[in-house]
Amino acid sequence: MYTGLQHLHSFWAYLVLIMLIIAVVNALLGLVGKRTFGDRDLRIPLFTLIVSHIQLLVGIIIFFISPLIQWFSKNEEVSSIMKNADLRLYNLEHPLMMIIGIILITIGFSKHKKKDSSSAKFKTILIFYGIALILILSRIPWDAWF
Ligand code: HEM
């Protein structure tokens, strides 16, 4: 089960990143081009929200079964996790940043629906999804992924 979920999490990360980039670029083009917020402009951030929530669920399950997670190991001290850059990334930085990123995507999606004008909708998606993208990119375990 662990290997299957690890592969799923690794593959799904491409989908999350591709959708997030498309959502940010689409919001930027919509804002700059002063377009009317249409069906496609709603579907892209909605699909991004869905794929990121699925990644969140898979990530939480992996967190409890991965051998890289040392919080539940009796032999590991908190200080030794913090001193080791790799352990710190998997045990703290990656999960925390990804969760914050997904929270921003969720807030951004919910806030954009309450805006009246097209430009305000595009701007809300651009800001929230854009910050989420930066945070997520900053704490992906690139070495393990490629
Ligand atoms: C936007 C959401 C996320 C993205 C894009 C993402 C992406 C990734 C990537 C690319 C890897 C490396 C996969 C590989 O080795 O091939 C990874 C590993 C991992 N992620 Fe995530 N992740 C996300 C959310 C989460 C969350 C929310 C958690 C936990 C709460 C989490 C926990 C982990 C763990 C524990 C590993 C190491 C798995 C292992 O090899 O044992 N991830 N993630």
Side-chain angles (χ1 to χ4, degrees), residues 51-65:
V51 292
S52 65
H53 278 211
I54 292 172
Q55 183 73 328
L56 172 67
L57 279 181
V58 179
I60 289 172
I61 299 170
I62 290 190
F63 189 79
F64 289 103
I65 57 175

Side-chain angles (χ1 to χ4, degrees), residues 20-110:
L20 204 42
I21 291 167
I22 293 175
V24 170
V25 171
N26 185 63
L28 182 65
L29 293 179
L31 187 65
V32 173
K34 296 187 169 43
R35 265 197 293 115
T36 304
F37 196 90
D39 269 0
R40 197 194 58 183
D41 303 308
L42 174 78
R43 274 193 223 111
I44 292 174
L46 175 62
F47 192 64
T48 311
L49 176 82
I50 294 168
V51 292
S52 65
H53 278 211
I54 292 172
Q55 183 73 328
L56 172 67
L57 279 181
V58 179
I60 289 172
I61 299 170
I62 290 190
F63 189 79
F64 289 103
I65 57 175
S66 169
L68 295 169
I69 303 304
Q70 297 291 313
W71 296 121
F72 318 110
S73 144
K74 284 197 186 110
N75 317 323
E76 205 69 60
E77 296 284 331
V78 171
S79 63
S80 64
I81 296 176
M82 290 306 167
K83 279 182 202 148
N84 179 316
D86 255 8
L87 284 182
R88 200 172 57 237
L89 176 65
Y90 284 108
N91 284 266
L92 182 70
E93 296 169 352
H94 173 71
L96 188 64
M97 278 307 184
M98 301 301 122
I99 289 171
I100 295 174
I102 295 167
I103 289 174
L104 286 175
I105 292 171
T106 312
I107 295 175
F109 187 80
S110 136

Side-chain angles (χ1 to χ4, degrees), residues 89 93-98 133-142:
L89 176 65
E93 296 169 352
H94 173 71
L96 188 64
M97 278 307 184
M98 301 301 122
L133 177 62
I134 294 167
L135 294 185
I136 288 173
L137 287 177
S138 78
R139 284 299 174 274
I140 281 202
W142 294 103

